[in-house]
Amino acid sequence: MSTTGALALARVMAHCGGSPAAATSFIARAITADPRDPEPYSALENLRRELPAEVAAVVAAANTIGPMLARAYLSFVDGDMDEAAMSLGAVTGYQPDVPWASAPWFCDERFLGAVTPAALAEATMRIHDYDRDLDTDAVRECLAPWFRAIEAVCNRDPDPDAMARMAILLRACGRTDASFALCDQADAVRRVTFTEVVRAGTWRHVGNLAETAAAFRRALALDPANWSLHLDLADVAAEEGDFAEAAALAARGEELEPDDVTMRAAAAAYRARSTGSVADLNTLAELAPQVPEPYRRTLIDYARGT
């Protein structure tokens, strides 16, 4: 359906069909056809101007693409740049192979100059909420405006925690060099534990376990009481086949957090592999049903030596 046809149907549904929700859906189709075209966005503003209460109700209940697109754009119009970013992030995550961020408003200086780093970071997290494959040329092309927004916002208002979260999207898109660079930029502002955790994840993503462990150890130096970092290091040691080290690291994590089932199960698995302890095998068997897959199977295989 052409943009003209979709907008014509939107007008019919708004005025004759009595369905602002359907009208919004037809406008969304027009936006989908070419997110760079300003005409559908103008039509959306006009629809709200004519039917403010009805459109407000559609936007308030937004949980599908059409209403979410409406929420994103109208939030921008209203000056709520954080909500605009997060709504578009949710839509982008659901259909990352559509260039939603090519919308004129997303590249507008009013948006880039006002959206907060925390909100943009949350928006990027929503992009990979749906577990879509983002590491393709087509998706990277569609997400290019997001990459530019990340650069602009991080240069304007560098926030280390937010920057680390944004670096996860870059990694998921296969832009590992850019992900490392953003972590380095965050470190130049202030070193925080999460940046090292993200950096570790990116090193793991590229298959470098030595650098993965080094990053986790730097994180642990910043937060020595963080039991989950001991578990992360134990897992890396197990991947490298050093089960004595894995058991020692897991034991320290278990001391810090004795009530976490996953921590306890990992400690039992690594001790069982390292020492052959039947008691630890029995403990793992008791705890395993409470450990989510695929980690449960990984621990069982390690403990059994398979």
Side-chain angles (χ1 to χ4, degrees):
M1 181 183 296
S2 68
T3 297
T4 301
L7 294 181
L9 281 171
R11 286 190 290 271
V12 169
M13 294 308 299
H15 299 293
C16 302
S19 176
T24 301
S25 178
F26 280 113
I27 291 173
R29 291 190 192 184
I31 293 173
T32 303
D34 185 2
R36 295 162 294 189
D37 184 354
E39 187 178 359
Y41 302 102
S42 296
L44 185 57
E45 280 193 79
N46 291 336
L47 181 64
R48 185 174 68 164
R49 194 174 298 116
E50 296 169 5
L51 300 168
E54 292 85 346
V55 172
V58 171
V59 170
N63 59 7
T64 56
I65 285 181
M68 288 294 287
L69 284 171
R71 173 184 287 178
Y73 177 64
L74 294 176
S75 294
F76 164 76
V77 172
D78 293 339
D80 189 349
M81 305 308 179
D82 287 0
E83 180 56 46
M86 291 186 287
S87 293
L88 193 68
V91 172
T92 302
Y94 187 70
Q95 286 189 316
D97 55 349
V98 176
W100 304 110
S102 294
W105 67 266
F106 192 81
C107 302
D108 192 293
E109 285 303 320
R110 290 173 293 170
F111 171 73
L112 294 177
V115 64
T116 65
L120 189 65
E122 173 60 26
T124 64
M125 298 296 284
R126 294 183 183 188
I127 292 175
H128 50 84
D129 266 356
Y130 294 90
D131 201 28
R132 304 287 197 254
D133 182 6
L134 305 181
D135 191 1
T136 70
D137 289 338
V139 170
R140 277 188 289 272
E141 183 177 354
C142 290
L143 296 183
W146 285 97
F147 305 149
R148 292 192 289 271
I150 288 172
E151 182 178 4
V153 171
C154 291
N155 288 338
R156 166 176 60 82
D157 187 6
D159 178 306
D161 284 300
M163 294 162 82
R165 295 176 77 197
M166 295 181 213
I168 297 173
L169 175 66
L170 300 178
R171 177 178 73 209
C173 294
R175 303 187 70 218
T176 52
D177 288 344
S179 182
F180 283 131
L182 190 55
C183 287
D184 292 343
Q185 186 180 346
D187 278 345
V189 178
R190 186 177 71 257
R191 290 190 66 212
V192 297
T193 303
F194 188 55
T195 304
E196 291 292 2
V197 171
V198 172
R199 186 181 280 114
T202 305
W203 280 119
R204 187 191 288 273
H205 181 79
V206 301
N208 190 323
L209 291 181
E211 290 291 352
T212 300
F216 277 134
R217 290 193 181 279
R218 289 192 297 270
L220 194 59
L222 292 168
D223 187 6
N226 189 320
W227 64 269
S228 67
L229 291 173
H230 287 86
L231 178 56
D232 290 327
L233 279 165
D235 290 342
V236 174
E239 283 188 63
E240 294 180 313
D242 189 345
F243 290 98
E245 176 68 4
L249 287 162
R252 177 57 180 149
E254 193 175 23
E255 290 173 7
L256 292 167
E257 183 48 75
D259 296 327
D260 185 84
V261 170
T262 301
M263 184 71 256
R264 292 170 58 204
Y270 296 146
R271 282 193 298 266
R273 178 64 178 272
S274 177
T275 67
S277 167
V278 174
D280 282 311
L281 276 175
N282 290 337
T283 298
L284 176 61
E286 292 173 6
L287 297 173
Q290 301 175 66
V291 178
E293 293 286 10
Y295 193 53
R296 177 199 308 167
R297 175 49 52 188
T298 298
L299 291 179
I300 291 172
D301 289 345
Y302 278 146
R304 292 176 175 174
T306 58

